[in-house]
Amino acid sequence: MPRPCAPISVIIPCYRCGTEVMRALDSVLNQSLQPKEILLMDDASGDGTLEVLRELEAAYAPRVRVIAQAQNGGPGLARNVGWEAATQPWLAFLDADDAWHPRKLEIQWSWLAAHPGVVLCGHATWLAADGCIDLPVVAPPPATQLTLARMLVSNRLPTRSVMLRRNLPFRFQG
């Protein structure tokens, strides 16, 4: 039985990560709520990573797409290029050496559905004993509104936790 899908593009910057990117991709492919699109952003790895990513694209097409950058620009630029290439109205970010809890998108998407005025959200994360990033599935703590001033003082949202509307004018620093 196919799992439900949400209008989300997941962006995964990849740099010299051919041996570890499958763990990150598996954590997305095994979500209880599936994203419509997964973008693997090769950041000019030059070590065979792009070939691994192309194999994954072939295996999981059309949901998985690879975008190869000609020059290395770092994860911020790779995320921004993915942001521009994304086709879905919501974006979620995951680094190639991270993993999500199997219900991360389901939990976050249901919270966003209950709060339609929100354009960006994130959550706390914990590192599990097996090295996987884990999101608690118990009742989340009360939401805290972040202001621009609070974000300038301290970024409280790990990138792997962020989900935002694609049409926001902000971008990552390159």
Side-chain angles (χ1 to χ4, degrees):
M1 179 175 189
R3 286 174 279 182
C5 211
I8 301 167
S9 294
V10 175
I11 298 171
I12 304 175
C14 301
Y15 180 71
R16 298 188 178 190
C17 63
T19 59
E20 56 198 11
V21 68
M22 194 62 214
R23 179 175 150 251
L25 183 58
D26 273 344
S27 80
V28 178
L29 294 171
N30 291 317
Q31 290 292 302
S32 57
L33 177 68
Q34 291 288 296
K36 292 248 183 185
E37 171 178 67
I38 304 166
L39 302 176
L40 301 174
M41 309 300 301
D42 181 66
D43 194 17
S45 296
D47 70 340
T49 294
L50 181 57
E51 290 75 20
V52 170
L53 299 180
R54 292 281 185 215
E55 290 173 14
L56 295 171
E57 179 181 45
Y60 298 103
R63 277 197 9 198
V64 173
R65 288 194 298 142
V66 172
I67 299 175
Q69 294 175 209
Q71 289 186 322
N72 179 266
L77 181 61
R79 289 182 194 109
N80 291 340
V81 171
W83 193 321
E84 296 305 318
T87 63
Q88 299 304 305
W90 287 90
L91 306 179
F93 303 95
L94 179 65
D95 288 340
D97 61 349
D98 279 340
W100 282 338
H101 182 279
R103 292 185 57 213
K104 179 255 198 295
L105 291 180
E106 174 191 348
I107 293 167
Q108 200 164 13
W109 185 252
S110 65
W111 189 90
L112 284 167
H115 300 86
V118 172
V119 297
L120 180 151
C121 71
H123 54 78
T125 59
W126 291 265
L127 184 60
D130 64 0
C132 292
I133 301 302
D134 217 0
L135 171 72
V137 293
V138 296
T144 303
Q145 185 173 359
L146 293 177
T147 63
L148 180 57
R150 286 177 93 181
M151 290 295 288
L152 289 174
V153 172
S154 172
N155 181 6
R156 300 171 187 266
L157 301 176
T159 306
R160 68 182 162 266
S161 78
V162 172
M163 190 179 299
L164 54 80
R165 285 196 176 273
R166 188 185 62 170
N167 63 358
L168 289 176
F170 313 108
R171 295 298 183 265
F172 290 92
Q173 286 193 339

